[in-house]
Amino acid sequence: MDKIISSFALKGRAISEKPFGQGHINKTWLVETDTGARYILQKINNNVFKDVPSLMQNVSAICSYLATQVQDLRECLRLVRTLDGKDYLTDEEGSCFRVYEYIEDSICLEKAESPADFYESAVAFGRFQKLLGSFPADTLHETIPDFHHTPKRFLNLKKAIEEDSFHRAESVRPEIEFYLSLKKEASVLQDKRDSGVLPLRVTHNDTKLNNVMFDRTTRKALCVVDIDTVMPGLAAYDFGDSIRFGASTGAEDEQDLSKVSLDLELYRTYTDGFVTACDVLTDEEIKSLPFGAKLMTLENGIRFLTDYLEGDHYFSIAYPEHNLVRSRTQLKLLQETERKWDQIQNIFK
Ligand code: GN1
Ligand code: MG
């Protein structure tokens, strides 16, 4: 680890590194040096991101672009280059590492502690999407092809059920039946995307609350992080994934499903913040937002269940049934969405 850290152009010599954050894909550490400077070191998951050079071209271009748009440097991610001027380092085993400057005096939330926190995150993601409206989209690589192609996510689930390599399908029949019963919903946004009814934008695609850094003192959202999946997509994906994660009253991996429901006050608050900050959305896009929330919940539920059936090779897990637990919270949120659908529609009137 020391050899890796010392290959980057840090201010001072690294004296500590601690695991940081709750991401399910990359490994992340907070590094401190003897000058007091702090950094985020990440090992990029190249099982998920198959083409790291392209990924890092995107990341570097987006960081440079955003740096020209913000007032305060704490409002964008800043890559620290290696001593020989590269955006990332590849070690002898082929693992890839990158370093960002740590955003000082910031905090990361797993759960909104007040509607104001959630509003702030909505403004941050809405602003991010609006700003990237003038980013040259054709220069972006598709870091994970078909990332939000929900019909393909369904096909993956079916394949995992048929192969059943870990003999888990029988024990999760009710979950499988539930998700398969929603198959007809999977193509709704994809069809509108393919036909051009919904415009393609440069979107973040992974808009969990814990992918926003807040100022510790003012609680204002400072900076959107985890930009590995910035790609052309639909506004409804970004809106939807935030609702899925942040408007739930329970954690994504809450085991007690009685604690998991959809908080409509938070839902309304996020909608206000997002639509206000991203004031370029068409009427058709605004109409698509609540369905986006349903679809992102469905898609993540399917992905967690698929990963469980395939032996947990994609998302990090802390215990054997972790992915199954995650797929059950999404299932509960989908039931809640169904039950509250009319009230949700009222938010958009
Ligand atoms: C992953 O890396 P992280 O934890 O921010 C995943 C998202 C899922 C999310 C579920 C590249 O996000 O798509 O919605 O877990 N990222 C990737 O919590 O697959
Ligand atoms: Mg993350």
Side-chain angles (χ1 to χ4, degrees):
M1 190 65 106
D2 284 352
K3 199 170 154 208
I4 288 159
I5 296 172
S6 58
S7 306
F8 286 88
L10 309 184
K11 293 187 192 94
R13 187 177 56 81
I15 51 170
S16 77
E17 71 253 356
K18 298 186 191 118
F20 186 82
Q22 304 289 329
H24 300 336
I25 307 295
N26 298 318
K27 278 208 176 122
T28 307
W29 297 267
L30 177 66
V31 174
E32 192 166 351
T33 73
D34 55 3
T35 65
R38 299 200 286 177
Y39 300 91
I40 289 294
L41 168 71
Q42 287 193 305
K43 180 178 180 192
I44 302 167
N45 181 330
N46 52 8
N47 177 36
V48 168
F49 297 104
K50 310 272 186 214
D51 181 357
V52 174
S54 295
L55 165 75
M56 288 307 296
Q57 266 179 31
N58 280 7
V59 168
S60 173
I62 292 161
C63 288
S64 305
Y65 175 82
L66 290 176
T68 65
Q69 306 290 315
V70 298
Q71 314 289 320
D72 178 342
L73 281 180
R74 289 198 306 151
E75 290 171 10
C76 64
L77 280 173
R78 281 160 292 145
L79 270 177
V80 177
R81 307 235 140 58
T82 61
L83 291 170
D84 53 359
K86 303 221 169 62
D87 288 333
Y88 65 99
L89 174 88
T90 308
D91 72 5
E92 291 98 1
E93 287 156 22
S95 300
C96 298
F97 296 83
R98 70 176 166 216
V99 171
Y100 290 113
E101 289 190 29
Y102 181 69
I103 300 166
E104 289 299 337
D105 300 315
S106 69
I107 53 168
C108 173
L109 300 173
E110 289 304 314
K111 191 175 177 346
E113 286 163 13
S114 68
D117 287 341
F118 203 37
Y119 185 86
E120 273 299 310
S121 73
V123 170
F125 282 123
R127 195 169 53 204
F128 187 82
Q129 191 167 119
K130 185 178 175 187
L131 270 182
L132 291 178
S134 37
F135 183 89
D138 54 344
T139 61
L140 280 178
H141 304 281
E142 204 178 354
T143 54
I144 303 181
D146 298 323
F147 192 58
H148 285 312
H149 195 302
T150 322
K152 290 198 178 161
R153 299 288 188 183
F154 249 98
L155 292 178
N156 293 344
L157 172 62
K158 283 203 167 141
K159 187 163 160 275
I161 298 166
E162 275 154 25
E163 290 177 358
D164 196 19
S165 309
F166 288 77
H167 311 290
R168 292 176 170 179
E170 212 35 58
S171 64
V172 294
R173 262 306 138 201
E175 287 80 2
I176 289 177
E177 296 305 329
F178 176 85
Y179 281 113
L180 291 184
S181 76
L182 295 176
K183 185 170 178 295
K184 61 179 185 316
E185 314 253 22
S187 57
V188 174
L189 289 191
Q190 188 63 41
D191 291 348
K192 289 191 173 161
R193 174 176 169 162
D194 294 342
S195 63
V197 170
L198 292 173
L200 265 190
R201 296 186 180 277
V202 176
T203 48
H204 181 280
N205 295 306
D206 184 8
T207 53
K208 295 195 286 192
L209 183 68
N210 65 11
N211 285 334
V212 178
M213 305 305 289
F214 292 78
D215 184 289
R216 181 187 295 284
T217 317
T218 64
R219 295 293 272 225
K220 292 278 171 211
L222 282 173
C223 179
V224 166
V225 301
D226 209 345
I227 57 175
D228 297 328
T229 51
V230 172
M231 286 180 280
L234 301 179
Y237 301 154
D238 279 6
F239 173 85
D241 202 41
S242 288
I243 295 290
R244 168 191 83 76
F245 188 85
S248 170
T249 55
E252 190 185 64
D253 57 358
E254 174 58 59
Q255 302 199 18
D256 178 355
L257 292 182
S258 70
K259 292 188 183 149
V260 179
S261 73
L262 199 54
D263 182 327
L264 292 184
E265 193 199 341
L266 285 178
Y267 202 127
R268 181 182 294 280
T269 301
Y270 192 92
T271 306
D272 284 349
F274 189 79
V275 172
T276 307
C278 192
D279 57 4
V280 291
L281 300 179
T282 65
D283 290 346
E284 201 60 50
E285 281 177 296
I286 293 178
K287 240 170 51 194
S288 74
L289 298 180
F291 189 79
K294 189 172 173 184
L295 190 75
M296 287 301 98
T297 314
L298 173 61
E299 189 179 285
N300 274 276
I302 293 173
R303 291 175 64 197
F304 292 139
L305 187 58
T306 305
D307 201 31
Y308 179 69
L309 291 170
E310 290 178 344
D312 310 298
H313 62 87
Y314 189 93
F315 296 105
S316 303
I317 53 166
Y319 54 90
E321 302 217 314
H322 208 161
N323 274 316
L324 177 60
V325 165
R326 290 170 178 148
S327 84
R328 286 181 176 147
T329 56
Q330 305 308 293
L331 186 159
K332 175 73 190 290
L333 284 174
L334 284 165
Q335 291 170 333
E336 279 281 294
T337 305
E338 207 54 63
R339 198 166 68 77
K340 295 179 176 166
W341 191 245
D342 290 345
Q343 290 157 274
I344 293 171
Q345 289 300 325
N346 281 336
I347 295 175
F348 292 83
K349 280 190 181 141

